[in-house]
Amino acid sequence: MSEMTEITLAGGERLRVQGELRSVESVIVSAARGSILELAWLTDARTGEPVALNPDHVLMLRPLGAASDL
């Protein structure tokens, strides 16, 4: 069972990704500090597929339970 984090974006959309809160935060902060328009690459907790998001659109991170709780 892996930890999940819920990301709330500026448009109100919520995305659940694999990874504990601090790890997800680190990926987003690294992308924000990187080159212009660098995306934060994460893994969707439901589908297991890669997702990329613009770190400028992230409003909130929230820790969730294990991925098996979906």
Side-chain angles (χ1 to χ4, degrees), residues 4-67:
M4 292 186 309
T5 298
E6 183 176 81
I7 302 171
T8 303
L9 301 173
E13 181 180 357
R14 292 183 180 163
L15 176 65
R16 291 181 177 190
V17 297
Q18 293 176 4
E20 66 95 20
L21 180 67
R22 295 291 182 184
S23 296
V24 172
E25 176 190 23
S26 179
V27 169
I28 293 169
V29 169
S30 292
R33 291 181 178 163
S35 63
I36 295 174
L37 296 177
E38 185 172 339
L39 300 175
W41 286 92
L42 300 158
T43 302
D44 187 291
R46 291 190 177 121
T47 66
E49 295 191 13
V51 293
L53 57 94
N54 183 332
D56 291 340
H57 293 209
V58 174
L59 294 180
M60 182 176 76
L61 301 178
R62 182 171 67 121
L64 298 175

